[in-house]
Amino acid sequence: QVQLVESGGGEVQPGRSLRLSCAASGFTFSTYGVHWVRQAPGKGLEWVALISSDGNNKYYADSVKGRFTISRDNSKNTLYLQMNSLRAEDTAVYHCGQGVGYGDRTFGFWGQGTLVTVSS
Amino acid sequence: DIQMTQSPSSLSASVGDRVTITCRASQTIFSSLNWYQQKPGKAPKLLIYTTSSLQSGVPSRFSGSGSGTDFALTISSLQPEDFAIYYCQQGYSTPPTFGQGTRVEIK
């Protein structure tokens, strides 16, 4: 069965960096686009970034553009999110999601998420 | 970006009730509308894709309808396990955007 397991979250001070990982299994990772979606405490879902199956195309929300970088290693079935210049408003649970359907813009399966807390 | 607006924000209902949640897009998204269910502390789960297609394993009491800018999720007979938050999401263009969510609570 499809599994997505995030890791790398934690508490970090504003302005610092953090790298999240998402380990995928149960499907052919290299043939799917994958996303990061975040959810601030008690709030709704906010899309963060998408990377194409081959890693050549990357898309970002305006709120993270220039600060976050999405990448993938298809040999390791792993998705990454490098987060720099973190702000308090980046505090959230970060989920990875399998992109399916047209443009990979349907979220077929989600991971449980990893909590990132940005606080001084 | 396409804005998605759900209503109501929350509702109280009893087991066995028929429940409908609506979702409106700020511009036409044709049939590119998905619905997700999220329970506390859990990952969201895809229920319905492209407006009305039921994801594998999802009970048939869930159904979706609509086109263009106006969509609906209907639960024909609410079950105890259906109490959750429901989100719509447009897949027509990047960035994919979500509604604010509808919390379905026990009356």
Side-chain angles (χ1 to χ4, degrees), chain B residues 2 19-20 26 32-35 39 53 72 75 79 84 86 96 101:
Chain B
I2 298 174
V19 167
T20 298
S26 60
S32 299
L33 191 283
N34 307 310
W35 290 97
K39 296 182 179 179
S53 296
I75 309 172
Q79 297 302 300
Y86 294 85

Side-chain angles (χ1 to χ4, degrees), chain A residues 8-30:
Chain A
E11 186 165 352
V12 62
Q13 293 179 326
R16 303 299 290 264
S17 299
L18 208 57
R19 188 199 200 201
L20 306 183
S21 299
C22 170
S25 61
F27 66 104
T28 307
F29 181 71
S30 62

Side-chain angles (χ1 to χ4, degrees), chain A residues 6 39 95 109-113, chain B residues 37-45:
Chain A
E6 302 90 341
Q39 189 167 30
H95 298 275
F109 286 94
W110 302 64
Q112 290 274 72
Chain B
Q37 177 193 64
Q38 187 177 32
K39 296 182 179 179
K42 300 292 189 181
K45 172 187 171 185

Side-chain angles (χ1 to χ4, degrees), chain B residues 2-51:
Chain B
I2 298 174
Q3 307 304 314
M4 306 300 294
T5 304
Q6 285 180 237
S7 62
S9 296
S10 66
L11 65 90
S12 295
S14 300
V15 172
D17 284 354
R18 181 181 181 89
V19 167
T20 298
I21 300 167
T22 63
C23 179
R24 174 165 287 178
S26 60
Q27 64 186 75
T28 184
I29 57 171
F30 299 92
S31 62
S32 299
L33 191 283
N34 307 310
W35 290 97
Y36 302 87
Q37 177 193 64
Q38 187 177 32
K39 296 182 179 179
K42 300 292 189 181
K45 172 187 171 185
L46 177 64
L47 294 178
I48 289 173
Y49 58 96
T50 54
T51 298

